[in-house]
Amino acid sequence: MLALKAAMPQLPRTEAAADQVVAVAETDSTNALAARMIADGSLRMSAHTDGVGGVSVVAADRQTAGRGRMGHVWVSQPGRCSTISYVVRLPRAVALDERLNGWLQMISGLATLDAMNRAMGEFGAVPNQPDCLLELKWPNDVFCHGLKLGGLLSELVLLPEAGSRSLVSMNESSNARNASDDGRRDDVALVFGVGLNLALGACRLPTPHSTSLQLHVSGLPQFEVLRDAIAAYEVEGLASRLAAFVADPEGQAKRLREEMKAVCWARGHEIEAHFTDGSTLVGEAIGLNEDASLIVRTPDGVDHAVRTADVGVL
């Protein structure tokens, strides 16, 4: 298989929609690059009157150390996969509220589905099969026909005024609360890393459980055009969804819970959850709790809340 050369992403539509776009041909990780730029002040982190900052974008054509949740590696190929991080400034009280902040990951996933569907509609691209739907595998994967098309990684970054730089997974936000509770800063930055397989052929898929948008949809534009359109729509979707969430977190959590019912891939399936301590939980995924954790009903009829785990369908 020939190695593909990385090129600096061209994102004119995204530049018009975002506060700032930083595009590089290659980096270790767009999330890591975004965190470094937040720390040194080179990434614009504007604060808006509605409590939500504008969305800034960090994009690369190749990642040399792409990351997923729980230490997983994210493999992508230049000119075939979109690797972009979206950065937004949010009130700390919202970002660190464990009753509600699980929905921030869901918001990034729903905004990604919206962006992909809007882009396909714009270009008149149609699914090859009528049941070719984009769904979310809780908590952070884009799925199509039971295969992984994309992944999302949400991380919290303390702003420089709050002390030394810290980047943590949203699932570790309680530690971030302790690190930032000095009263000097009311906002934090959230970095949503989104990797999407858009134009991979079947022979280039990284795993047997992976897929690519072009394998399921006909009439897609060139990769560069599609990447830009999806990113621009994602900026718009994140901005509007996050503003609504900050304005009414509890009300939006209820709406998001209903919205997730239609696109939660695991719902209604027998699943196996793998936890970091090596334990597993097998049962039926029946929905989401009010805090966005997954409800798993075991054969004994007991419901369990799964907050951090790798989830696979049996």
Side-chain angles (χ1 to χ4, degrees), residues 78-124:
R80 301 287 185 269
C81 304
S82 174
T83 49
I84 297 178
S85 292
Y86 303 87
V87 187
V88 65
R89 180 171 177 164
L90 288 182
R92 182 179 59 180
V94 173
L96 300 181
D97 188 337
E98 292 180 345
R99 301 169 303 158
L100 298 167
N101 63 9
W103 292 109
L104 296 172
Q105 179 83 24
M106 302 301 108
I107 285 174
S108 67
L110 290 167
T112 300
L113 295 193
D114 288 346
M116 296 178 73
N117 286 322
R118 289 180 67 184
M120 287 188 286
E122 174 187 338
F123 296 112

Side-chain angles (χ1 to χ4, degrees), residues 6-11 14 21-34 56-68 73-87 112 149-153 191-200 206 223-224 226-228 230-231 234:
M8 183 178 296
Q10 301 299 310
L11 303 166
T14 308
V21 173
V22 176
V24 297
E26 181 175 296
T27 189
D28 53 350
S29 154
T30 57
N31 268 31
L33 176 57
S56 293
V57 170
V58 177
D61 201 28
R62 185 201 300 273
Q63 292 186 129
T64 59
R67 296 180 288 112
V73 175
W74 177 256
V75 178
S76 61
Q77 296 185 35
R80 301 287 185 269
C81 304
S82 174
T83 49
I84 297 178
S85 292
Y86 303 87
V87 187
T112 300
L149 190 150
L152 298 90
L153 177 64
V191 182
F192 300 102
V194 181
L196 300 172
N197 298 331
L198 299 180
L200 283 175
F223 167 77
E224 293 81 3
L226 180 61
R227 173 174 58 184
D228 188 22
I230 291 174
E234 181 117 22

Side-chain angles (χ1 to χ4, degrees), residues 116-234:
M116 296 178 73
N117 286 322
R118 289 180 67 184
M120 287 188 286
E122 174 187 338
F123 296 112
V126 294
N128 298 331
Q129 300 178 31
D131 62 344
C132 183
L133 302 175
L134 297 176
E135 298 175 289
L136 294 175
K137 192 196 83 167
W138 182 96
N140 69 322
D141 289 336
V142 178
F143 261 49
C144 185
H145 280 300
L147 298 170
K148 184 171 179 176
L149 190 150
L152 298 90
L153 177 64
S154 300
E155 296 178 301
L156 183 149
V157 182
L158 303 182
L159 298 178
E161 294 86 347
S164 59
R165 176 173 64 90
S166 177
L167 184 153
V168 295
S169 163
M170 288 301 299
N171 293 307
E172 303 172 45
S173 58
S174 59
N175 294 332
R177 179 189 293 109
N178 295 332
S180 62
D181 255 347
D182 57 7
R184 289 181 289 169
R185 171 58 59 188
D186 293 328
D187 295 339
V188 295
L190 289 185
V191 182
F192 300 102
V194 181
L196 300 172
N197 298 331
L198 299 180
L200 283 175
C203 64
R204 291 184 177 273
L205 295 173
T207 75
H209 306 292
S210 303
T211 192
S212 175
L213 189 63
Q214 75 166 20
L215 299 178
H216 302 277
V217 178
S218 299
L220 294 171
Q222 291 183 340
F223 167 77
E224 293 81 3
V225 174
L226 180 61
R227 173 174 58 184
D228 188 22
I230 291 174
Y233 283 134
E234 181 117 22

Side-chain angles (χ1 to χ4, degrees), residues 274-313:
H274 298 267
F275 300 96
T276 54
D277 63 2
S279 62
T280 61
L281 180 71
V282 176
E284 180 187 356
I286 62 173
L288 301 183
N289 285 304
E290 293 181 354
D291 64 354
S293 58
L294 185 68
I295 306 171
V296 178
R297 180 167 295 165
T298 48
D300 58 5
V302 177
D303 291 348
H304 303 261
V306 175
R307 293 180 173 82
T308 304
D310 279 337
V311 173
V313 169

